Amino acid sequence: MLNQDLPEQNIALYIHFPFCRRKCNYCSFVSYTSRDTDIIAYLGVLKKEIVLRATDKHINTIYFGGGTPSLLSNEQVEDILSTIGSLNIINKAAEITMEANPGTVDTSYLTAIRKSGINRLSLGIQSLNDSELTLLGRIHTAAESREVVLLARNAGFTNLNIDLIYGIPQQTVSQWRAILAEAIELNPEHISLYPLTLDGNEPLYHKIERGELPALNPDISAEQYELAEDLLANHGYQHYEISNWAKEGYECKHNLVYWQNLPYLGIGVAAHSYLDNHRLANTSDLDQYLSKFYSNVKWVIDWEEEIDSKLQLAESVILGLRLSQGVSLNEIHGRFGIDLLSQYSSQVDHLAGLGLLEQTKSHMRLTRRGRLLGNEVFHQFLPA
Amino acid sequence: MDQSMIRNFCIIAHIDHGKSTLADRLIELTGAMSKDDIIEQVLDSMELERERGITIKAKAIRLDYHAKDGKNYRLNLIDTPGHVDFSYEVSRTIAACEGALLVIDVTQGIQAQTLANVYLAMEHNLEIIPVLNKIDLAAAEPEHVLEEIKSVLGYKPDTVLSISAKTGQGVPLVLEEIVKRIPPPNGNVNLPLRALIFDSHYDSYKGVIAYLRVTDGQISKGNKLRLMGQGTEIEALEVGYFSPYPHPVELLTAGEVGYIATGLKYVGECRVGDTITSIANGAAEPLIGYHPAKPMVFAGIYPADANDYQELREAIERLSLNDASLSYELESSPILGNGFRCGFLGLLHLDIVCERLEREFYLSLVVTAPGVSFIVTKTNGQQLTVINPTDLPPTTETAKLEEPWVSISIITPSKFIGPLMELITEYSGVYKRTEYLGHSKTLSELGQRVQLEYDMPLRSMLTTFYDQLKSRSQGYASLDYNLIGYREAKLVKIDVLVNQIVVDAFSRIVSPDKAHDVGKAMVHKLKESIPRQLFNVPIQAAVGGRIVARADIPAKRKDVLAKCYGGDITRKRKLLEKQKEGKKKMKHIGHIEVPKEAFLSVLKLN
C-alpha cells in the first residue's frame, strides 16, 4: 500500500503559508491575520527559498499548509508550482496537496488550481454543526462545509480529504455520530480526525479556564474516537494512521513521509525540515523571514539539531508505530542493523502485557487500545 | 567574690513582650557593652531566634553595676527560653536564680505561658519584680494590667515598675530594684561543690560548654568533676564567665554564674538540669532532681531528593551535637527512601529543627505528619513504646494502649470562651476549671480575661489545634501546656491501600469515631492527586480488615499526540521526553506511578 520507490532519492516538500482571515479559537499554529499586504513579498521570498534550498532530489509530494493557503490567488499558486516545475525535480505522479478552507474558494478558483497541478485538496471542514463552528471560531458555516466538497468535485478533484475535530467541549457522542455520518455521506477519499487540543494560549483554553466552558474530557474523546474507528471501518475507510483514515490507495503520501521518518524540506515561515539527519526549523517570525532571507539563508533557520543514530531509531519506531501496520522489523533491521524486539524486549513485554502493543510476523504495532494511549508506548522507546 | 554583692536573676516574659530589648538596655547601662556594640538583642545569637522573636538557648551575662548606695554589685542575667516546648530548660534556669523580672507588655496583659513560668518561679521561692513594658505606646492600659497582676499574682500596684525598654525610660530604676529586692545567694563555699547546669552547647574548639550556677563550694580550672545525674566524668578545661564574650577566670565560687569547657563531644553527655560536683569528696545530694526532657512528638524527616540522604544524616548528627532533646533513628519508606524518625520536645522544636536543616544545611525536606509515642501492652504482657504508627501491633495482640496527655491552660478575653470551649471539646479536651483574672469587667469590649484549664491528649495538639485557637480568638488567646503522663486510649490504626498494597507512610492512629472521616479524606486526597493509570486503581482506607472508605481511579483511556505540526517532529519528541522525565520522578507503589506531591498531600493532611 505504501509508495516505497527508492525513498532516499525522493524528498517531500512542505510549503507554509502563514496568512489567515482570522485566527481560529483553538489554533496554536504560526499564522498571521491582517498582514495580507505582505503576501506578495512573502511569495517572492518563498520562491527564492525554494530555488536556494532545493537539491537534485526528486519531489514525490508537495503540501501547501497553513494558515490558509486557499487565500492565494490561482495565479499565485500557479506561480509557485511553475517555479518548482522549472527545477525539473517533480515526479510525474507526485501528490500535490493544498489545504483549503470552506468559504474561501469557488468552482472557478478550484478549477484553476486543479489545472495548475494541485491534485489533492485537504478541506478544513472541522465540523458540520454551526454552533460548534462558531465555538471554534471558524469563518464558515456547516452549509459552506458541505458545499465545498461539491465545488471540489465539480472542479475535477478526485482525491479529497476532510479534517474534522472531535472532543469539543459540550460535543456529545451522539452529536459526533451525526457529524461522522454526514461526513461519510460526503464520501471523501480521506478523513483526518483530530481531538481538540489546547496548549494554554488559545482563546478556547482561556474560556475553559474562566469556567465559561467545561474542560476537555478525555473519556468522551476516547469514546468518540472508538466510535469513529467502528463507523469508518464499516464504510470502507482504512485506519492507516492514528488520526487518519483513507479509502484504499488514497493514503496521504506526504504525511506518510513523516511517519516513515523520511527526509522532507520545509519552505516558509516556521516550516520544519528533516535533511541529512538534521532537523531544522525556519524562523517563526514573519518580519524576520521577510527581511533577512535575502541576505543569508542560514539566518532564517531558528534552530538545527543533529539526529544521531540512537535518536533516529527512536524516532523511526515512535513515528512508525503511528501507522496501523506498525513498524516493519525488517526495515528497522535494514536501516539500523538491529533486532527491534530483542533490543527493546523489556519494553515490548511490558507494553504487550498492558495490552498496548502487539506483534505480527513482520511488524510491531499498537493495539486498538494502544492507539488511544500511544504516548504511553512512544516514550518507552526514547533513548534513556 | 562576696556573695552579698551578687544578684542572680532571669527575665520571664511572653514572646515579643520585650525581654531581649530590656536585656540589651541592662547590658548597655551597666557598660558591659556600648550601645554601638549591641547590634541587636545580644542574647539571641542565632539568626533564626531573632526572626522568630524567641530565645532558644539560654545564656548568662555578668553585669557589673555601681549602685546608688555607692557599692559595686555583680548582676548575673540568665536568659530563659521563651517557648512552652522548652519548659524544662526554663525550670532549670529559674532554679539557678534568686530573682526574676516579670516583664508584661502593657498592651497585652499576662499570657498563659508567662503565668506558668511565674508559678514555677514562685515554687522556687524567687523574688519576682513585675515590670510593665511598652508604656510609651498609645494602646497601653496600665490600670487594667495592674489590676490583673494584683488579682492573679497578688502584687500591689506600687511594687510594679513601669518602663519602656525601647526608649530606656524607667530602666535605671530596674537595676536599683534588682539590687534592693532580689536576695543575694546564700550557698556555702566550704561545702563540697554543687553547681547546676542550666544550659550547654557544643563548641568545635573546646567541646561542650556547660553554663552553670555554683551553689556550694568552688570550681577552678583543672578540677576533676562528675555529673551526679548522668555519671559523666569530666575535667574543667577552662573556667570563665560571659560579659557578653567569654572571659576565662581562675575560679568560680559559691553564688557565681559562669561556664566550664568540658572537652565533651556531645551535649547529651552534659545535659541541662544535672548537678556537677567534684570526683574527690563530692556532694551527696544533687541540687534538683535530674529528669531531662524526653522527646514527645515524632515525625519522619526525609530528604526531598533521595540522593541527599547522606547530607541529611550528617546535618542531623551535627544538630544533635547541640540539641540533646532531638532524637533520631533510621527509618525507611518505600516511597520516600531513607530518612529518620526524629523526636522533638514539641511542634515548635520540630519547626526549628526543620528550618535549621533547610537554612543552615541547604536541604530540602519531606516531613511527615507529627505523632506521639504510645505505650502498648500486648496480650502476652510485653510492653513497647511505639513512635511510628506502622509499628503498632494488631488490635488482636493489644491488651492496652496508652497515649500522652497534657494539661493545657489558655488565657483569653471572655468574649471567646464559647468558641474556644467548643474547639477544645472537638479536640477531645476534658474540662477542669475556669478562672477570671482581675475584677474589672467593663474595661474592654472583649470582656474580662479568663483562664481555662483542660486536660487533653497531646495527639490532639499536633494538628491544627493551635492555629484554630488563634483564629477562633482573633489572635488573643495564649496557650501553655504541661505533660501530665499517659492515659489509656481507645484508638485505631487506619491503613491506606493503593491497589491493595498497604502504604506504611500513610498509616495513622486516630480515635475510632474519626476513622471514617479521616479515611475518607485521605482516600479522596489520593484520588485527586494520583494521575490515572493504565488500569483501574482502587484506593482504600482500612481499620484492621474493615474497609472504611474507598475511591477508584478509573483507568486512563486517552493519551496520544494527534497532529503533526507541519512536520515538527522535534516538538512531538520533546513532549514525549518531558513525559518520560516526569515518569522517572514518579514513586512506585507496586505498579502504580505516584507523584511525590500526592504523598505529601496525604502526609500533610490534618
Side-chain angles (χ1 to χ4, degrees), chain A residues 93-384:
Chain A
E95 171 196 276
I96 304 176
T97 307
M98 190 166 101
E99 290 179 347
N101 279 343
T104 62
V105 293
D106 56 24
T107 309
S108 66
Y109 175 81
L110 292 175
T111 308
I113 61 168
R114 176 73 193 84
K115 216 169 268 171
S116 312
I118 304 286
N119 53 29
R120 184 174 183 271
L121 281 183
S122 178
L123 301 169
I125 282 175
Q126 315 308 1
S127 174
L128 290 161
N129 175 315
D130 279 332
S131 63
E132 281 178 18
L133 289 169
T134 308
L135 185 75
L136 294 173
R138 300 291 292 179
I139 58 168
H140 55 92
T141 61
E144 285 171 311
S145 294
R146 291 175 202 112
E147 189 194 11
V148 76
V149 177
L150 287 178
L151 298 179
R153 294 296 188 208
N154 291 341
F157 281 96
T158 56
N159 189 355
L160 294 180
N161 167 57
I162 64 175
D163 277 349
L164 292 173
I165 294 177
Y166 63 100
I168 299 167
Q170 291 165 336
Q171 182 188 53
T172 63
V173 175
S174 65
Q175 278 166 346
W176 173 240
R177 183 195 293 271
I179 291 168
L180 274 174
E182 212 184 322
I184 290 166
E185 224 158 280
L186 293 172
N187 201 25
E189 283 69 33
H190 190 283
I191 298 180
S192 297
L193 305 181
Y194 298 114
L196 183 65
T197 44
L198 301 171
D199 296 342
N201 290 311
E202 308 86 350
L204 269 185
Y205 178 88
H206 297 299
K207 237 178 168 170
I208 291 170
E209 281 289 282
R210 289 193 301 265
E212 293 164 28
L213 275 179
L216 301 186
N217 183 328
D219 291 345
I220 293 178
S221 293
E223 227 170 287
Q224 292 174 330
Y225 182 83
E226 288 181 341
L227 173 69
E229 280 192 306
D230 296 340
L231 280 182
L232 292 174
N234 290 343
H235 290 84
Y237 290 94
Q238 290 187 7
H239 190 184
Y240 74 99
E241 194 269 344
I242 286 178
S243 306
N244 292 291
W245 285 257
K247 292 187 174 170
E248 195 163 356
Y250 286 96
E251 297 84 5
C252 175
K253 289 179 197 165
H254 184 84
N255 280 336
L256 282 173
V257 168
Y258 300 143
W259 311 135
Q260 289 167 346
N261 205 15
L262 296 173
Y264 50 89
L265 171 63
I267 299 290
V269 160
H272 290 253
S273 304
Y274 183 41
L275 302 166
D276 303 323
N277 299 325
H278 283 71
R279 295 204 183 273
L280 15 123
N282 284 1
T283 176
S284 50
D285 184 305
L286 179 60
D287 292 316
Q288 211 171 66
Y289 182 78
L290 290 177
S291 65
K292 298 294 180 183
F293 189 80
Y294 282 104
S295 47
N296 187 348
V297 180
K298 279 279 171 193
W299 220 98
V300 301
I301 304 291
D302 211 26
W303 53 259
E304 180 172 351
E305 183 192 19
E306 190 186 343
I307 306 297
D308 64 21
S309 59
K310 263 189 187 168
L311 221 44
Q312 282 175 43
L313 170 63
E315 290 185 347
S316 295
V317 174
I318 290 168
L319 294 167
L321 281 173
R322 299 186 64 91
L323 297 169
S324 301
Q325 65 179 29
V327 183
S328 157
L329 303 175
N330 274 338
E331 214 175 290
I332 292 291
H333 189 264
R335 203 157 155 184
F336 301 99
I338 61 140
D339 176 20
L340 187 65
L341 295 180
S342 56
Q343 177 118 349
Y344 289 102
S345 64
S346 69
Q347 288 95 324
V348 171
D349 288 349
H350 172 65
L351 293 166
L354 290 167
L356 301 178
L357 201 63
E358 63 190 7
Q359 56 185 104
T360 60
K361 269 191 180 152
S362 56
H363 286 75
M364 180 177 80
R365 67 183 185 195
L366 295 178
T367 60
R368 178 173 159 110
R369 180 165 183 245
R371 279 198 285 276
L372 271 168
L373 293 163
N375 291 353
E376 292 282 347
V377 176
F378 301 153
H379 78 78
Q380 300 266 8
F381 291 92
L382 286 170

Side-chain angles (χ1 to χ4, degrees), chain A residues 29 195 199 219 226 243 259 264 272 279 303 305 315 322 354 369 372-376 379 382, chain B residues 532 534 556-562 564-573 576-577 579-580 583:
Chain A
F29 286 171
D199 296 342
D219 291 345
E226 288 181 341
S243 306
W259 311 135
Y264 50 89
H272 290 253
R279 295 204 183 273
W303 53 259
E305 183 192 19
E315 290 185 347
R322 299 186 64 91
L354 290 167
R369 180 165 183 245
L372 271 168
L373 293 163
N375 291 353
E376 292 282 347
H379 78 78
L382 286 170
Chain B
R532 291 167 70 173
L534 292 169
K556 171 153 92 170
R557 286 190 68 186
K558 184 168 179 294
D559 177 12
V560 63
L561 294 166
C564 177
Y565 295 83
D568 189 354
I569 303 299
T570 306
R571 170 171 163 162
K572 263 188 161 37
R573 201 189 74 227
L576 290 170
E577 279 167 357
Q579 189 166 0
K580 190 185 176 91
K583 281 186 183 273

